[in-house]
Each structure stands twice: as structure tokens, then as C-alpha cells.
Amino acid sequence: REGLPAGLSWLPVFERWVTAMALSPARALGPWQFISSTGYRFGLRRDRYVDERMDPVKSSRAAVQYLGELHSFFGDWTTALAAYNCGEARVQNIIRTQRINYLDNFWDLYRQLPGETARFVPRFIAAVLIISNPERFGFTLPEPYPPLAFDTVTVKTPFKLSSLAAKLGLDPAELVFLNPELRQESTPNYDYPLRVPAGAADRAVLAVNDLPKWIPPEIETSVHYVKKGDTLGAIARRYRTSVGAIQRLNGLRNPRMLRIGQRLKIPGRGLAASSAVAPSGRTSRSGAAAGN
């Protein structure tokens, strides 16, 4: 409806298999892989209760605006896709260094783009060609799922989705799946359009009135920038916390994978114990030192 090429609708599949909570090493989140600043720019709300980058409908609307803006700026879809992958500033800087002004589309630039982006665009084009005509390329693809069926009810108080699920006789995972943007698996303390299974709206409206109010705990955090030789174990000792707490707060799957300059949120007030600082370059059992 917005006039974009239909093939762009496959970007979430190609990026992160349409996983609502997919988080990249660059902190891009959701099916369309928005970083927080770009999400804000295109109207995606983020607070202690919600992160709309994880909502497939809201993030898709934002992606339509963003892709349209990139195309208007760069003039062709391959360059717009490159900018979507590595950032428009990166592509602009490369174009600016071109000696010949008119050599500024993706195929002129790709040797100077980051390796991931140089691969991303042709691989995405190939994927769309295969999806559009799988038999031609020897593929058999499954039938797509039918559109999601759900009702929407407006709620005004915070409560856990598990509490509502118990009242309605549902699996809590069903409500979580329908409302992936809810960070705490609870509704916020303002008007919120909650999705419930189709046919459950009336029962949900009645059940909400009897649910206990839930307030998320206050989480005090500080910030640590990874330096050469840092390990999660050393950082945890320095700030008198645990490796597991830092992993959970930052969504780290592998405690051994730290990058110099990486921004880590530290639970608690982050008062460093100077005597616990690990010597630069030393590794510990909880992970390899950054930069080694």
C-alpha cells in the first residue's frame, strides 16, 4: 500500500527469521533489527514496560517509513538496502570519497562497504528470487502460516500476563507471543491495547478487573566500557555483582565474547571495588580477555 517493492517484506526473514526478540551484537532488536535511536526516530516507543521494536506491526510501519526515506535519499533500492544494513552515514561517507561523482550506486560502492553489507545485499536479492520462484531453483517451500487472529482490549493498569492467562485458562506463552513488545511480560501503567486470542475479548475485560496490580522493580544500573584485558569475571568482581547478572541485563549469550569499547550495563549502583580490578590482559575462568 505504501508503494514499496513487495520483496522488501522478506527482510525480517532474512535478518532474524522474524524473531520478535532477536538481538544483534550491535544492539539492533526485533524483526526489523532497529537500533534504539533509529526506533525513536520513527516513532517506536521504548520505556520500562514496552519496546515497540519487538512488535511486528508497529516495527513494520516504522520500517516502511525508514526504507522509503533511504530510497528517497540514495535513489535506488540496492544502496538503500546497504544503508539499512550498515547505516546511512557509513554509505554517505563512502559516496563522498568517490572520485567520480556519478559512481554512487551499490555495485560501484560494494568493495568499499563492510564485508557483511557487501554480502548482505546480493544474498538478499538471491533469497527474494528463490522465494518468488522456488521451483525454478530446486526448492520446495512450506505453506505460509495463516494471518494471526486476535482481539484487542484496552487495559489501564499493570498486571502480569501470567495472571490474566490463569483467569482465562490460557497458556501464558500465548499472551506473550501476541504481545512481544512487553518487556516485563506485564501491561504498562497507562492505556495499552492488549492482544488476546480471538473470541476472548469479553472474558478478558471482565477478568482484568480482578487482577492484582504489578509494579516492576526499580533496577539501578551503571555503565562500564570494556577495555583491553577485561573479562566478565573481572568486571563482576570490580562492581561486586555476578557474571550471570551482567549477562542477563545485557542479553549476552557467550560470556567469552567481549569487544573493546563495548558498553555494558552493570546492575546495582556500580560502585567499583578498586582492589578487585583485574590486571590488564589477564584472563579468568569466566571468559577470555577482551582484545585477546
Side-chain angles (χ1 to χ4, degrees):
R1 288 199 300 268
E2 297 292 337
L4 274 64
L8 294 175
S9 64
W10 293 105
L11 261 174
V13 175
F14 191 73
E15 283 274 21
R16 288 290 184 274
W17 291 103
V18 205
T19 304
M21 287 174 271
L23 182 67
S24 79
R27 309 298 294 170
L29 181 65
W32 290 94
Q33 290 290 279
F34 277 104
I35 60 173
S36 57
S37 59
T38 308
Y40 280 127
R41 186 169 137 203
F42 292 97
L44 296 178
R45 181 173 187 159
R46 184 170 179 261
D47 58 32
R48 67 190 298 201
Y49 291 100
V50 304
D51 191 328
E52 293 181 345
R53 294 179 294 168
M54 294 188 286
D55 183 274
V57 176
K58 295 172 184 175
S59 64
S60 292
R61 289 173 180 153
V64 164
Q65 294 179 54
Y66 186 33
L67 287 164
E69 182 179 286
L70 290 174
H71 182 260
S72 297
F73 188 83
F74 291 106
D76 72 276
W77 283 113
T78 51
T79 311
L81 283 169
Y84 185 88
N85 182 256
C86 71
E88 60 259 47
R90 185 76 173 266
V91 176
Q92 282 179 266
N93 288 336
I94 293 173
I95 291 174
R96 202 172 290 123
T97 62
Q98 291 285 87
R99 294 182 180 179
I100 304 175
N101 289 336
Y102 61 84
L103 293 181
D104 58 1
N105 69 36
F106 172 80
W107 303 109
D108 299 318
L109 307 171
Y110 81 99
R111 293 183 186 278
Q112 301 171 63
L113 289 166
E116 178 188 345
T117 303
R119 293 190 299 271
F120 172 84
V121 175
R123 287 172 67 189
F124 176 68
I125 293 171
V128 172
L129 288 172
I130 291 169
I131 291 168
S132 301
N133 193 352
E135 295 82 8
R136 177 185 173 189
F137 299 100
F139 287 86
T140 302
L141 301 181
E143 288 296 314
Y145 290 121
L148 274 180
F150 56 85
D151 293 333
T152 303
V153 296
T154 299
V155 298
K156 303 174 184 293
T157 57
F159 55 81
K160 294 294 285 185
L161 296 184
S162 56
S163 299
L164 178 59
K167 285 280 189 180
L168 299 179
L170 299 172
D171 183 345
E174 190 169 1
L175 291 178
V176 172
F177 176 76
L178 289 173
N179 301 276
E181 70 179 1
L182 294 176
R183 302 175 69 184
Q184 312 274 355
E185 296 185 6
S186 77
T187 54
N189 61 352
Y190 47 79
D191 287 5
Y192 180 77
L194 181 71
R195 296 177 188 139
V196 297
D202 292 339
R203 290 189 299 134
V205 169
L206 294 174
V208 162
N209 296 326
D210 298 325
L211 297 178
K213 187 176 181 181
W214 185 83
I215 304 297
E218 293 287 346
I219 301 177
E220 293 186 3
T221 62
S222 59
V223 174
H224 175 88
Y225 290 92
V226 176
K227 302 184 292 297
K228 183 176 177 62
D230 275 352
T231 68
L232 275 190
I235 294 169
R237 289 193 298 274
R238 178 179 182 183
Y239 292 98
R240 296 172 180 166
T241 185
S242 68
V243 170
I246 297 175
Q247 280 187 261
R248 287 190 297 272
L249 190 58
N250 293 276
L252 300 176
R253 294 183 181 178
N254 187 346
R256 299 178 63 85
M257 297 298 291
L258 293 180
R259 303 184 310 278
I260 294 174
Q262 183 177 355
R263 182 180 184 273
L264 293 178
K265 289 186 286 188
I266 307 297
R269 295 184 180 179
L271 299 177
S274 58
S275 61
V277 179
S280 177
R282 183 173 296 176
T283 61
S284 74
R285 287 178 293 178
S286 56
N292 286 357

